[in-house]
Amino acid sequence: MSQQSLVFYITGASKGLGKVFTQRLLEKGHKVAATSRDTDQLKSAITNASDDAFLPLKVDLVNEQSVSDSLAAAVAKFGRIDVVINNAGFGIGGTTEEMSDSELRQNFDINFFGLVNVLRNVAPILRKQASGFVLNISSIAGFVGHYPGFGAYCATKFAVDGITEGYAAELQPFGVRVATINPGYFRTDFLRAESFLTTKIKIDAYEAAHKVEEVHRTQVHGNQQGDPAKLLDVILHLVQNTSIENVPLHLFVGPDAHTHAKDKIARLNKDLDTWETLAKSTNHDDVVAKQQ
């Protein structure tokens, strides 16, 4: 895609990364169909937006018909969709034992199944266009999961990364580019109470995990190193300058994300080397004989 004006469809646009992305894209002359559960909040969050460039949409991501209708409205207004940014999501702190079934499912409903509703319903639009770029906002927590008290959130983002890889392979023959964005810490309101929940049950034995959660709420929040506006600059560079053959499946953004990803890759390589002989000893004897 060139430097021309593009049409973006962004979920979770009334706050956090989505709000910054929407505001700055409009300032740069792009068009944005932006979704939120609360359009009043969305309209008040996005200032100085012209009616011809901004389409606020009330969408329940868990309701597939709501998602489908919003995509149809975007196409009806703008004629096409060039870039989808699946950004909506929230976190929940708590250990696996403390997590209730309903809390876990609620997290998956928005972070994963809501995202999949968008992927499913935008696919025919992008296939017909034979173009488009889908960016799923995941997290470094979609690749590195050894954070006590954050297992549920990590699991939703691991799921996002997994389905993105499959979706990318499925849509590539139609000229559609797909990638996950795996940010580290960026300075948004994600760690505030309305975006980062906590389990109702707390078990005293998990005091260490609770302290990690509390540190995020009281010390990390407001001090994240990443600038959301610069994250958007990276995304625009990716969209405008990357051919389908060179799209990264996972784009780790931020020095912290890079460090954590490389550390995990090193651990994986160590495990592969340590356990290689035993791990490869599992074939049927007749297969082993043929290999020899």
Side-chain angles (χ1 to χ4, degrees):
M1 295 179 185
S2 66
Q3 308 296 317
Q4 68 186 23
S5 175
L6 300 172
V7 177
F8 286 77
Y9 176 94
I10 302 177
T11 66
S14 62
K15 57 186 177 181
L17 292 177
K19 175 184 174 180
V20 175
F21 292 173
T22 299
Q23 188 73 62
R24 290 184 65 84
L25 285 168
L26 290 168
E27 291 170 358
K28 291 175 180 291
H30 299 289
K31 298 177 174 64
V32 181
T35 83
S36 175
R37 290 174 294 180
D38 185 340
T39 49
D40 289 336
Q41 183 184 33
L42 178 58
K43 291 174 184 177
S44 64
I46 307 302
T47 58
N48 301 321
S50 63
D51 291 340
D52 62 336
F54 178 53
L55 177 63
L57 296 163
K58 182 176 182 177
V59 177
D60 177 4
L61 291 175
V62 181
N63 184 314
E64 188 161 5
Q65 189 61 54
S66 178
V67 172
S68 177
D69 290 346
S70 71
L71 290 164
V75 174
K77 182 173 179 65
F78 298 124
R80 68 186 193 278
I81 296 175
D82 296 311
V83 184
V84 175
I85 300 181
N86 276 309
N87 165 74
F90 72 95
I92 184 166
T95 66
T96 303
E97 185 179 352
E98 294 167 326
M99 189 79 54
S100 70
D101 181 80
S102 61
E103 288 169 332
L104 181 59
R105 290 179 186 276
Q106 182 185 13
N107 207 194
F108 266 91
D109 275 346
I110 299 299
N111 292 11
F112 179 70
F113 289 108
L115 176 145
V116 174
N117 279 340
V118 175
L119 297 183
R120 184 185 298 115
N121 285 278
V122 81
I125 297 170
L126 302 182
R127 283 194 293 105
K128 184 177 180 181
Q129 292 177 174
S131 67
F133 209 132
V134 177
L135 295 166
N136 293 332
I137 304 298
S138 179
S139 169
I140 183 59
F143 184 69
V144 181
H146 66 289
Y147 306 119
F150 291 81
Y153 177 71
C154 292
T156 67
K157 293 303 186 178
F158 267 71
V160 167
D161 281 26
I163 201 163
T164 302
E165 291 196 11
Y167 193 74
E170 294 157 3
L171 273 291
Q172 186 178 30
F174 305 102
V176 179
R177 295 171 290 169
V178 180
T180 60
I181 305 297
N182 297 79
Y185 285 117
F186 278 77
R187 197 169 300 174
T188 69
D189 52 9
F190 177 75
L191 291 173
R192 293 179 62 180
E194 61 267 28
S195 296
F196 189 79
L197 310 181
T198 189
T199 55
K200 293 180 180 179
I201 296 173
K202 291 297 180 184
I203 300 172
D204 291 343
Y206 290 111
E207 180 183 1
H210 300 160
K211 286 182 178 178
V212 172
E213 182 183 336
E214 185 62 21
V215 165
H216 279 75
R217 294 184 185 280
T218 60
Q219 298 180 33
V220 176
H221 174 61
N223 295 303
Q224 300 97 320
Q225 294 180 350
D227 181 345
K230 292 182 178 180
L231 173 56
L232 178 62
D233 290 340
V234 171
I235 288 174
L236 282 174
H237 180 86
L238 174 67
V239 169
Q240 294 172 331
N241 297 284
T242 309
S243 67
I244 197 166
E245 295 82 11
N246 296 316
V247 176
L249 267 180
H250 308 277
L251 181 58
F252 297 99
V253 187
D256 52 346
H258 257 254
T259 297
H260 285 299
K262 287 184 175 181
D263 286 347
K264 176 166 182 178
I265 291 168
R267 291 196 301 272
L268 288 173
N269 283 329
K270 180 181 178 181
D271 289 345
L272 285 169
D273 292 341
T274 300
W275 293 91
E276 181 175 7
T277 300
L278 185 63
K280 287 182 175 180
S281 67
T282 55
N283 281 349
H284 284 286
D285 291 341
D286 57 343
V287 175
V288 174
K290 289 180 180 179
Q291 290 173 339
Q292 294 174 342

